[in-house]
Amino acid sequence: MTWVGDNSTLIWEQLREHLYLALIPMVLGLLISIPLGYVATRYSWLANPLVALGGVLYSLPSIALFIVLPALIGTKVLSAANIIIALTIYAVSLLIRNVIDGLRSVPEDVLQAAVSVGYGTLRRVVTIDLPIAVPVIFAGLRVVTVANISMVSVGAIIGIGGLGELFTLGFQQDFLTPIVVGVVLSLALALLADVALVGLQRLLTPWARVNTPKEA
């Protein structure tokens, strides 16, 4: 506890960096996955190739991707952009399947009813398709968020890893406390982020609670 008190500023800085590096790719991945998923549902022949490509991209080792990206996109080795871009790729790889499945779950009669009353494509997607697809999309989003929080720590290999840098510090000094602090805070972040997403999903789908049967 003495070490924690003496290094509270360092811990807080790494925690903020970790949260930033984990959540920005999640948001970017969602923003990219939604239009891709819509295109894949509109042109069904694209769905399987996109899902397959996502599986291939997600299978790439994160350490290798963090190291190779600077050479591919011209960023500095210690740039946070490398972590953000890599985790965005992983986020899209995971989310694309959920977005496609979520949009496909919209009943055909609902789509036809929306068209018949004059809904344009954009209005229909935003006000009907996406709200119905929210539960399926959020199931993938929760996985992506927890995975990102975990993988950010790997970035400590190249000197940018949020709480992962506490792991590096602990190993370098052969001191267990920074490692324990990093593990506990990583788990806490993952838990809080998951709870927050569940709450956001409930907020976005109030109709899902209306007819929920009460336990005896």
Side-chain angles (χ1 to χ4, degrees):
M1 292 304 296
T2 301
W3 183 90
V4 173
D6 293 341
N7 293 273
S8 58
T9 301
L10 171 66
I11 294 171
W12 176 242
E13 288 177 354
Q14 300 307 325
L15 181 62
R16 286 189 300 175
E17 181 182 63
H18 200 104
L19 194 59
Y20 170 78
L21 293 174
L23 296 187
I24 294 300
M26 179 200 75
V27 175
L28 293 176
L30 183 62
L31 294 177
I32 295 171
S33 298
I34 288 176
L36 282 178
Y38 171 74
V39 171
T41 55
R42 187 174 179 85
Y43 305 100
S44 57
W45 60 271
L46 278 174
N48 288 336
L50 281 176
V51 171
L53 178 61
V56 171
L57 292 175
Y58 195 74
S59 67
L60 296 174
S62 57
I63 295 178
L65 195 56
F66 291 158
I67 295 174
V68 169
L69 268 178
L72 294 178
I73 61 179
T75 55
K76 295 181 179 179
V77 174
L78 296 180
S79 172
N82 301 320
I83 307 296
I84 292 173
I85 293 172
L87 294 185
T88 299
I89 291 173
Y90 287 130
V92 174
S93 301
L94 284 174
L95 279 173
I96 187 65
R97 180 188 294 272
N98 288 80
V99 173
I100 292 172
D101 290 343
L103 293 176
R104 283 178 172 174
S105 70
V106 181
E108 185 63 29
D109 56 341
V110 173
L111 297 177
Q112 292 177 358
V115 173
S116 66
V117 297
Y119 275 59
T121 299
L122 180 60
R123 183 185 177 194
R124 194 204 74 220
V125 170
V126 172
T127 61
I128 296 177
D129 297 17
L130 286 177
I132 293 176
V134 160
V136 180
I137 294 175
F138 265 64
L141 194 60
R142 291 170 65 186
V143 174
V144 166
T145 303
V146 173
N148 277 6
I149 290 173
S150 174
M151 285 192 287
V152 165
S153 297
V154 180
I157 297 294
I158 62 172
I160 302 175
L163 296 172
E165 295 187 33
L166 297 181
F167 302 157
T168 302
L169 179 64
F171 287 125
Q172 289 175 342
Q173 298 181 353
D174 193 22
F175 185 42
L176 186 61
T177 300
I179 299 173
V180 172
V181 171
V183 170
V184 170
L185 289 178
S186 295
L187 292 174
L189 273 183
L191 178 61
L192 290 174
D194 191 62
V195 170
L197 286 175
V198 170
L200 181 59
Q201 178 182 334
R202 289 173 61 85
L203 183 65
L204 293 175
T205 56
W207 59 86
R209 306 193 302 270
V210 173
N211 296 319
T212 302
K214 296 182 179 179
E215 295 182 1

